[in-house]
Amino acid sequence: MEIYLYTALFSPLIGSLIAALFGASKKTYFTGVLASGLLLTSFISSLILLTYVMAGHTVHVEMMTWIATGDLYIPFGFVVDQVSVTMMMVVTTVSTVVHIYSIGYMSHDKGFNRFFSYLSAFVFSMMVLVMSDNFLGLFIGWEGVGLCSWLLIGFWYHKESATWAANEAFIMNRIADLAMLIGIFMMYWNLGSLQYDVVFANISALPMPVITWIGIFLFIGAMGKSAQFPLHTWLADAMEGPTPVSALIHAATMVTAGVYLVVRANPIYSEIPDVGNAIASLGAFVAMFAATMALVNRDMKRIIAYSTLSQLGYMFVAAGLGAYWVALFHLMAHAFFKALLFLGAGNVMHAMHDELDPFKMGGLKTSMKWTWILMTLASVALAGIYPLAGFFSKDLILEVAFVEQHYILYTVLLLTAGMTAFYSFRLIALIFHGDKRHLEHGIHPHEAYTFMLYAMAPLAILAVIAGMVFKTPYYLMVTELLPAVQYHIHNHTTFWIMTIGTQLFVILAIAYAYKKYAKAVKVDKKVESGFFYQLLYNQYYIPKIYDEVFSKPYLQLSKLAWKQIDLKIVDATVDGIANIIYQTGEKTHTMQNGNLSSMLRWMVIGLVVLLVLAVAFTAGYNAVNLRAM
């Protein structure tokens, strides 16, 4: 099975390197097709490994020694177990679809080859992250996806907004990654190893404060990568990147790495339930916090991004309450329908000449029938309507909160489910129903390439069947490694009231969204100018607060350091030394003027200097000897 492990891991890297060779060349479909084929190879290898793991086996390889110094030994080691293989399937499935889709989406872009190089490099980094058998290997993949995310968000580097968004994402993640690195250092300092099996076997022997701080620092790293409050602002701004990037990185893979970290480190968090409760509380807050911002936003991609942020909150609630397998289950199901939603948004963007305001669209279902069906299907799954995937995974998180008697968390998540249904179908209604407002802007939309729609089809199928088909075999497999806790409301009356009540609540939210936006769209200026609307529209003014409290003072400090330290001290010192040397050269260059009299004069001066130095040295030497005697 080792050959399949290496094939799954390194196929994306090969695709990235080959695409990079043609990076500066003219667009060629060869690189896109080859990169997609190699991703398909990685997917098939991961599928073979999945069947092997489901049979009760794991694959653990040590490719070579990486760091060996003193007591520190870290190999390039990789493990395919129940958790990592789940992530491998999610990553390779979505990545293969996105690669094939991108051949059409990026077909007119000059950076076609460069795009595929970056995209495949990201997938390779993500595979390193989920397949490593130690925390330092995970961190290398963690930083790799951060770098590739920076490259892809800022892919259109000629746009100032894109480079700004890329830098924001990169810097904010570096802040969180520093905390994660401290947690890794603490693990090695106290346990002498970073291998998962060694750390998890011995973590309970450490003092509780040490375990607590390790868990906190690791979670801060997860907060950055998964855009949890207060490190959340970068995710919506990251929509400046190409839409396939949003589908792959900001919906299905990189942003879920934080959830994966908490799930993978479950033996640590099982020792510190208070930290777990804090994680769950933050997750519930973020779920509602992001959903409220999506209610009023007028940027199609940002609405979907806020939805991703909200669903990540759901995942952290499950992980924080110890339902690690539930968190991973929702991660998997969410990846399929959210990636489908983003790719559908990409179709709409192309048809609307990159227009993002849904209020300028309307009636697109007649010209974009299949995109309408696919996005509606994804939105139904996102809303958690039975029997689609979102129902099984999201309702399970509500059950966890209820069974664990966290009724406040349950209530928050239930209200968020209603808001999710509303903003999802607000978007569908504005884009595909009602008057054709786009005609006022001279836009005549068209459907995406047929092969792009076919590429999206697997995600649509999975968005429908992933919950009911995969739940039981997934549970039996993954609970061989994760805590095998079943969450059932034993009172059947209570269970049915909750389930039916949740479904009715969500359906009413969808109906209200259609009633309000599906026909004539009326913009209420009074409501839009109100305090509460403006609060949500401006993201609770948090970006502005960050700008005033952090960005502007830092800019002023940088200008002060530049003018007062860099120019007046550093540059002045360097320039002064240069001037002294230059002036010395100017004064002494006459020594080499070729005049015999001048050269003899300098020789005499040099001889006198040497004699004086010799006499002085001799006198000093004799004085020292006399004292010694």
Side-chain angles (χ1 to χ4, degrees), residues 183-239:
I184 292 173
F185 286 157
M186 288 183 68
M187 268 189 283
Y188 175 70
W189 183 264
N190 289 278
L191 297 171
S193 177
L194 294 175
Q195 299 297 119
Y196 291 152
D197 51 358
V198 176
V199 170
F200 298 153
N202 297 284
I203 192 70
S204 59
L206 297 181
M208 189 57 64
V210 174
I211 304 175
T212 300
W213 280 111
I214 289 174
I216 290 172
F217 281 124
L218 289 180
F219 180 64
I220 292 173
M223 286 169 61
K225 199 65 76 184
S226 294
Q228 296 296 285
F229 179 87
L231 303 174
H232 67 282
T233 56
W234 68 267
L235 183 59
D237 293 334
M239 296 302 104

Side-chain angles (χ1 to χ4, degrees), residues 198-520:
V198 176
V199 170
F200 298 153
N202 297 284
I203 192 70
S204 59
L206 297 181
M208 189 57 64
V210 174
I211 304 175
T212 300
W213 280 111
I214 289 174
I216 290 172
F217 281 124
L218 289 180
F219 180 64
I220 292 173
M223 286 169 61
K225 199 65 76 184
S226 294
Q228 296 296 285
F229 179 87
L231 303 174
H232 67 282
T233 56
W234 68 267
L235 183 59
D237 293 334
M239 296 302 104
E240 289 289 339
T243 302
V245 173
S246 303
L248 179 59
I249 295 180
H250 307 120
T253 54
M254 189 188 85
V255 292
T256 61
V259 180
Y260 169 77
L261 174 62
V262 175
V263 172
R264 172 59 78 182
N266 72 89
I268 297 175
Y269 290 100
S270 296
E271 297 289 330
I272 44 175
D274 289 342
V275 174
N277 288 334
I279 292 172
S281 299
L282 179 64
F285 166 75
V286 170
M288 178 172 278
F289 172 72
T292 56
M293 292 187 288
L295 291 174
V296 301
N297 202 277
R298 293 183 59 163
D299 183 308
M300 176 173 57
K301 286 179 67 177
R302 282 177 177 262
I303 292 170
I304 304 173
Y306 286 132
S307 175
T308 300
L309 184 54
S310 182
Q311 296 307 305
L312 287 167
Y314 273 89
M315 297 173 207
F316 277 115
V317 170
L321 296 179
Y324 303 105
W325 71 270
V326 176
L328 199 59
F329 183 46
H330 190 49
L331 184 159
M332 176 181 67
H334 170 264
F336 302 140
F337 54 73
K338 187 55 64 67
L340 179 62
L341 204 54
F342 264 118
L343 295 181
N347 291 351
V348 174
M349 281 183 65
H350 263 199
M352 293 295 297
H353 302 174
D354 292 334
E355 177 59 61
L356 288 166
D357 187 351
F359 281 84
K360 296 180 181 178
M361 301 178 189
L364 291 185
K365 70 176 183 179
T366 56
S367 52
M368 301 184 71
K369 177 182 176 182
W370 287 107
T371 298
W372 166 56
I373 292 172
L374 292 171
M375 287 190 70
T376 303
L377 196 65
S379 297
V380 172
L382 174 59
I385 300 294
Y386 179 85
L388 274 69
F391 168 80
F392 291 92
S393 60
K394 192 157 65 174
D395 266 35
L396 199 52
I397 297 175
L398 290 169
E399 284 185 43
V400 170
F402 190 86
V403 170
E404 294 292 330
Q405 299 182 359
H406 289 276
Y407 300 121
I408 295 176
L409 298 184
Y410 171 80
T411 304
V412 170
L413 295 180
L414 180 62
L415 291 173
T416 303
M419 287 189 283
T420 302
F422 175 80
Y423 67 67
S424 297
F425 282 89
R426 168 181 177 261
L427 188 65
I428 296 296
L430 286 171
I431 295 173
F432 295 105
H433 299 274
D435 299 330
K436 297 181 178 182
R437 297 178 298 278
H438 55 271
L439 296 177
E440 300 172 8
H441 305 279
I443 298 174
H444 301 281
H446 56 84
E447 187 59 277
Y449 295 130
T450 303
F451 80 89
M452 293 170 68
L453 296 173
Y454 280 127
M456 296 165 66
L459 294 179
I461 294 169
L462 289 168
V464 175
I465 70 170
M468 53 186 167
V469 173
F470 296 147
K471 181 179 176 182
T472 299
Y474 159 80
Y475 172 79
L476 295 174
M477 178 191 74
V478 82
T479 50
E480 292 182 22
L481 187 63
L482 299 176
V485 182
Q486 282 279 22
Y487 298 92
H488 292 302
I489 299 171
H490 297 293
N491 187 317
H492 293 290
T493 303
T494 304
F495 171 79
W496 283 111
I497 289 174
M498 287 176 54
T499 303
I500 296 172
T502 302
Q503 290 291 290
L504 287 174
F505 182 47
V506 167
I507 291 170
L508 285 173
I510 294 172
Y512 179 62
Y514 267 110
K515 181 178 183 299
K516 190 171 178 63
Y517 296 106
K519 293 182 180 179

Side-chain angles (χ1 to χ4, degrees), residues 162-181:
T163 56
W164 189 91
N167 289 335
E168 180 193 18
F170 192 79
I171 292 167
M172 195 164 283
N173 274 276
R174 298 294 72 71
I175 296 169
D177 292 353
L178 175 61
M180 181 179 173
L181 202 54

